Amino acid sequence: MEKFETLTVIVAPLDRSNVDTDAIIPKQFLKSIKRTGFGPNLFDEWRYLDHGEPGKDNSQRPLNPDFVLNQPRYQGAQILLARENFGCGSSREHAPWALLDYGFRVIIAPSYADIFYNNCFKNGILPIVLDAETVDRLFRAVEAQEGYQLTVDLEQQQIRTPDGEVIPFEIDAYRKQRLLEGLDDIGLTLQHADEIRAYEEQQQRQRPWLFDQ
Amino acid sequence: MSPRTLYDKLWDRHVVRDNGDGTALLYIDRHLIHEVTSPQAFEGLRLANRQPWSVGANLATPDHNVPTTDRSHGITDPVSRLQVDTLDQNCQTYHITEFAMADPRQGIVHVIGPEQGATLPGMTVVCGDSHTSTHGAFGALAFGIGTSEVEHVLATQTLGQQKSKSMLISVDGKAPAGVTAKDIVLAVIGRIGTAGGTGYAIEFGGEAIRDLSMEGRMTLCNMAIEAGARAGMVAVDDKTIDYVKGRPFAPQGALWEQAVADWQDLHSDADAVFDKVVHLDATTLQPQVTWGTSPEMVVGVNQTVPTPESFPEPVRQEGARAALKYMGLEGGMPICEIKLDKIFIGSCTNSRIEDLRAAAAVVKGHKVAGNITLAMVVPGSGLVKQQAEAEGLDKIFLEAGFEWREPGCSMCLAMNADRLEPGERCASTSNRNFEGRQGQGGRTHLVSPAMAAAAAIAGHFVDIRELSS
C-alpha cells in the first residue's frame, strides 16, 4: 500500500446523498479477478451515456457532459467531496479500488457506510468525516472557484483551504499510522500469531464442536 | 459481571487480543466465500506466499455469476466463467470445501450456510458480502467484509474490529396475517432510514420477532445492512436449536449436547443496556412496497406514493424527486395502481422453502397476468429447489406461467444474464432498489414473496390481505 503523504489537489464535488457502491462501480465490472483497472468505469452509469460492459473501449464511449467528473475544471481531481451515507450498499472493495484507480486519495463527506469506510483504509484512501455544515460550505467554495484546491495533511489531521482556513478532522490513531506508513495489516496481525494459537487452544477445550469440521 | 447484550457476549467470546481502545482482534469461526470478492484475496495470499490459517473454517460456493437457466453447457459469458473457474481453482489449491456449480448443494452463500449447519449459534461468521448479516438470525455475530479482509481472514483467522454501539429494535405485539418478516424489516428501515443503523449492531427483539420462524429471522437480519448496520441478530431460542439440529455441519452426539448447553446464554441479559432502543408496533403494520431508489423509500400497500413536498428536509425532498423521476412515478399515485413488467422471487433475502411456499400458495390455480413479460422463481439453493419440487411447488409456478430456475443470486443484482431492461418495472423479493441494481434503467419495488406472487397474478400491486379474506 502506498504511503499517504500531504496533498494539495483539485476537489471534485459530487452533490448527491446515499451514493451506493452499485453507482460507484456497477456490477458488470465486478467480474474482474484483478484489483486494478476499475478507474475508467468509476460511476459508469452517470459518467457515460451508453451502457458499459467489461472489455468495451471506454475512450470511444459518449460521455455525459452533465456529470461532474466530465467537466474540464475537475480533471485531475484527487479529492472527492460527497454527501451523507457515501458508499452504502454492497461490501464490494471494487468501489475503493475504482476510486483509487481513477486517482482519488481523499473523500470528504458528513458520513459513510461502515464497510465502505473500512475498505478505504485498506487501500490507502483517506475518508474524512466533517460536519454537514462544513461540507456544505466546501461545496459552495468548490463550485464558486474553478481550480479550487485543498491541502490534506494527515499527520496534522488538518484540511487547509486556499484562503488559509484550517479545518481539523478526527481519525482513529491506528488507522492514521497505517495510512502514513503504508503498512500491511496481515503482517501486523501475524505478529500476534501466538495469541491466536493460544485462543484456539482455549476454545478447543471449551467449545470443541467449533473445530470438529 | 455487569449485564451484557447479546452483542457484548458474542464480542467477548471472540476477543483474541483487546487493544484497550475499543478495538480488538476477533477470532473468526466461519468464513463463507463466493466468486466475486475472493479472487483478489487469494491472489494476495499467493503473492505473499501465505497459507489459509484454518482450512476447515472456510466454505465456498459460486452464486453471483452462475446462470439460472440450463447449466449443462457451463457458463456462456467468458468473464463470468473465468471468475467461477478461478474460485474452483483456488478452492482446489487450498483444499477448501466448495459446493461447485454442478453440486446439488450449491446455492446462494447465505442460504447454504444455515442450510448446512455451517452457521451455528455463538459463531462469528464473515463473508465478502454485505448480506452476511443474515446469519445473525442464529444468535451469531455475522457481518460483511471487503476483499482485503477476506484475505486477512484467510491468512490469520482473525479480523481487527472496532466495537459497534448496540441498538435494540423491539417489534412489539403480533404481526397481522399477511405481514411477513420482509414487511417488518422494510418498515424498520422506513422508520430509522438507511443510515439509521450505521455504527450499530442491531438486535431484533419483541413478540413479533420471537414469533418469526428461523427463515423469517434470516430475512430480517439479511436486511439489517440496508438500515446501515453491518450486523443484525436475534437471540437463540428453541426454534434456533431445532433448526440447526441434524444438519450436516452441526455437532452430533455428546458435542451437540455440549453445544446446546453453551448456546443457552446467547441472549441479552434482562437488564442489559443498549445505546439506542427503537420500538415498533407490529399490530398496525401493513404489507410494504418500496416506491423509490433506496430501501427507506417504503410505504404500506394501501398508501400512495409520497410527494416530494411531504418530506420536511430539502435534501430528502430532492432525493424523492430524483427517485420518482427514475422510477417513472408521480406522488399521490396509489401503490395498488402501479403496473409491473417483471416479477422476481429469489435472492438471499427471500428464496428459502418457506418463501417459495408462501408465493406458491398465492399463485396456485391462477395465471400470470398478460402484461407481465417475465415472472421467475429462483430457489436459494439446489436443496431448496429439490425440496420445492418434492412438494410440487415447481408445478404450481410453471402452470401459472412462472419460470422455474436454477439457484443463484440472479436478478437481485443482475451479474448473470437475468436482468431488467431500461424502464422495466419489477416486483422483487430482493433487498436493494438502487438505480440500475437489477439492470441499467430498471425499476425495482421491494416486496415480500406473497406480495410479489400476487402482483404477478394481478399485473399490479394488490393487498394480499384482501386475497385471503
Side-chain angles (χ1 to χ4, degrees):
Chain A
M1 202 168 75
E2 213 178 310
K3 287 183 183 177
F4 192 97
E5 281 160 7
T6 299
L7 304 163
T8 301
V9 287
I10 291 180
V11 184
L14 184 63
D15 197 359
R16 295 178 74 130
S17 51
N18 298 309
V19 170
D20 58 77
T21 54
D22 281 80
I24 296 172
I25 183 83
K27 65 264 180 176
Q28 62 268 35
F29 304 107
L30 271 49
K31 296 179 185 182
S32 166
I33 57 169
K34 301 201 179 96
R35 277 175 202 258
T36 51
F38 295 100
N41 300 108
L42 175 72
F43 299 120
D44 196 272
E45 288 186 10
W46 294 338
R47 201 159 141 201
Y48 301 97
L49 294 169
D50 66 343
H51 178 71
E53 282 295 333
K56 221 171 179 175
D57 180 358
N58 295 299
S59 65
Q60 301 301 312
R61 296 175 58 199
L63 293 172
N64 173 7
D66 296 333
F67 184 59
V68 65
L69 295 187
N70 290 333
Q71 294 169 19
R73 60 186 286 191
Y74 299 121
Q75 296 315 298
Q78 291 184 47
I79 298 174
L80 186 67
L81 185 63
R83 296 288 187 183
E84 70 265 14
N85 202 26
F86 188 84
C88 61
S90 133
S91 65
R92 61 189 69 161
E93 199 158 320
H94 311 68
W97 293 337
L99 287 160
L100 187 69
D101 198 57
Y102 181 89
F104 288 117
R105 291 301 305 273
V106 178
I107 307 170
I108 300 173
S111 60
Y112 300 88
D114 282 339
I115 301 179
F116 174 82
Y117 184 73
N118 216 19
N119 282 341
C120 283
F121 288 102
K122 312 281 181 196
N123 293 283
I125 296 178
L126 171 62
I128 297 176
V129 179
L130 295 180
D131 64 88
E133 220 166 280
T134 308
V135 169
D136 213 43
R137 200 153 46 78
L138 287 175
F139 264 99
R140 288 198 299 272
V142 170
E143 282 158 7
Q145 187 191 325
E146 195 165 332
Y148 187 88
Q149 298 197 343
L150 287 174
T151 298
V152 176
D153 183 340
L154 176 57
E155 184 74 60
Q156 299 292 320
Q157 298 183 211
Q158 284 180 351
I159 297 172
R160 293 189 286 271
T161 69
D163 48 12
E165 187 192 350
V166 173
I167 305 169
F169 62 86
E170 293 297 319
I171 179 173
D172 164 79
Y174 175 71
R175 283 171 159 157
K176 173 179 172 179
Q177 211 48 39
R178 283 191 50 254
L179 275 183
L180 287 172
E181 294 175 24
L183 288 174
D184 165 15
D185 259 354
I186 295 178
L188 287 174
T189 298
L190 287 174
Q191 292 175 355
H192 304 296
D194 288 348
E195 287 164 80
I196 302 173
R197 283 193 202 97
Y199 173 88
E200 282 180 328
E201 278 164 26
Q202 170 248 320
Q203 284 290 298
Q204 222 143 9
R205 285 192 299 275
Q206 201 179 344
R207 301 190 172 98
W209 62 90
L210 291 171
F211 299 86
D212 182 42
Q213 44 191 292
Chain B
M1 192 178 279
S2 58
R4 293 182 299 162
T5 63
L6 172 58
Y7 176 60
D8 291 331
K9 293 180 185 182
L10 291 168
W11 177 274
D12 293 347
R13 279 177 177 222
H14 291 91
V15 173
V16 170
R17 179 190 167 82
D18 191 335
N19 299 320
D21 60 353
T23 69
L25 193 63
L26 287 193
Y27 193 80
I28 303 302
D29 296 313
R30 177 66 67 199
H31 182 210
L32 302 168
I33 299 171
H34 65 84
E35 78 279 20
V36 179
T37 54
S38 66
Q40 295 88 350
F42 281 111
E43 188 193 34
L45 212 59
R46 213 165 9 246
L47 290 173
N49 206 14
R50 289 175 174 137
Q51 292 292 320
W53 180 279
S54 173
V55 172
N58 299 284
L59 177 62
T61 197
D63 56 5
H64 284 60
N65 272 286
V66 296
T68 58
T69 47
D70 178 20
R71 291 176 176 175
S72 54
H73 303 292
I75 305 177
T76 328
D77 174 1
V79 198
S80 288
R81 192 173 60 231
L82 175 65
Q83 209 167 44
V84 172
D85 287 349
T86 304
L87 179 68
D88 293 350
Q89 281 162 16
N90 283 326
C91 290
Q92 269 173 26
T93 305
Y94 294 106
H95 310 292
I96 289 170
T97 304
E98 184 199 11
F99 299 155
M101 199 168 75
D103 192 306
R105 297 167 296 180
Q106 177 267 337
I108 306 173
V109 72
H110 307 309
V111 174
I112 70 162
E115 185 173 79
Q116 292 294 323
T119 301
L120 295 175
M123 273 184 165
T124 39
V125 181
V126 298
C127 174
D129 191 283
S130 60
H131 291 110
T132 309
S133 56
T134 309
H135 309 265
F138 291 82
L141 176 57
F143 52 91
I145 56 177
T147 297
S148 296
E149 290 173 312
V150 169
E151 185 182 338
H152 194 280
V153 172
L154 280 168
T156 72
Q157 214 51 50
T158 63
L159 273 179
Q161 288 292 298
Q162 168 119 42
K163 195 170 181 191
S164 304
K165 291 177 282 182
S166 61
M167 185 189 298
L168 173 67
I169 296 184
S170 181
V171 187
D172 308 319
K174 283 203 180 301
V179 172
T180 66
K182 181 65 162 286
D183 303 300
I184 292 174
V185 73
L186 283 171
V188 165
I189 297 163
R191 163 78 83 82
I192 70 170
T194 49
T198 303
Y200 289 91
I202 295 179
E203 180 177 345
F204 295 99
E207 185 180 2
I209 305 302
R210 287 193 297 275
D211 283 350
L212 290 175
S213 69
M214 285 313 294
E215 295 195 359
R217 294 176 190 179
M218 285 185 244
T219 301
L220 179 80
C221 291
N222 173 276
M223 289 191 69
I225 185 66
E226 308 317 330
R230 286 179 78 180
M233 62 196 81
V234 175
V236 170
D237 62 9
D238 290 345
K239 283 184 196 172
T240 323
I241 290 165
D242 290 346
Y243 185 95
V244 171
K245 191 172 187 183
R247 293 187 182 265
F249 285 60
Q252 317 282 337
L255 279 182
W256 170 256
E257 299 305 327
Q258 198 183 344
V260 170
D262 179 67
W263 297 340
Q264 299 304 318
D265 183 44
L266 294 172
H267 54 79
S268 289
D269 294 329
D271 35 8
V273 179
F274 291 83
D275 294 302
K276 190 170 181 180
V277 178
V278 175
H279 283 277
L280 207 71
D281 179 3
T283 62
T284 58
L285 291 179
Q286 294 184 30
Q288 303 283 305
V289 180
T290 65
W291 54 268
T293 53
S294 162
E296 70 183 29
M297 295 172 166
V298 65
V299 291
V301 63
N302 283 331
Q303 291 175 266
T304 54
V305 175
T307 57
E309 296 71 37
S310 64
F311 295 94
E313 310 90 339
V315 178
R316 292 186 68 197
Q317 289 181 3
E318 214 160 294
R321 229 170 262 125
L324 289 177
K325 183 169 175 234
Y326 180 86
M327 293 296 288
L329 294 173
E330 298 278 343
M333 183 179 183
I335 291 290
C336 284
E337 286 178 14
I338 298 175
K339 283 201 165 58
L340 297 149
D341 303 304
K342 287 185 174 171
I343 308 293
F344 173 60
I345 297 176
S347 86
C348 58
T349 313
N350 282 127
S351 64
R352 298 177 182 84
I353 190 68
E354 290 175 13
D355 298 317
L356 304 192
R357 284 179 192 144
V362 173
V363 165
K364 193 170 187 177
H366 298 282
K367 294 280 181 208
V368 169
N371 59 304
I372 303 292
T373 57
L374 173 70
M376 62 194 291
V377 183
V378 184
S381 72
L383 296 180
V384 169
K385 184 168 184 253
Q386 279 179 10
Q387 175 69 26
E389 289 173 355
E391 296 179 19
L393 305 185
D394 57 326
K395 293 200 179 57
I396 293 173
F397 288 118
L398 287 166
E399 279 164 17
F402 276 84
E403 294 192 10
W404 178 248
R405 298 288 188 90
E406 299 296 326
C409 299
S410 179
M411 208 160 72
C412 173
L413 85 168
M415 271 189 79
N416 66 355
D418 308 334
R419 68 186 61 163
L420 298 181
E421 297 303 322
E424 279 186 336
R425 189 180 296 286
C426 180
S428 177
T429 66
S430 55
N431 41 57
R432 289 193 175 130
N433 50 351
F434 299 157
E435 284 186 20
R437 170 81 178 180
Q438 294 193 293
Q440 193 177 27
R443 295 161 170 168
T444 303
H445 296 274
L446 303 176
V447 288
S448 74
M451 283 288 289
I457 304 305
H460 56 83
F461 286 116
V462 287
D463 186 343
I464 44 161
R465 294 169 303 175
E466 285 165 15
L467 297 184
S468 45
S469 59

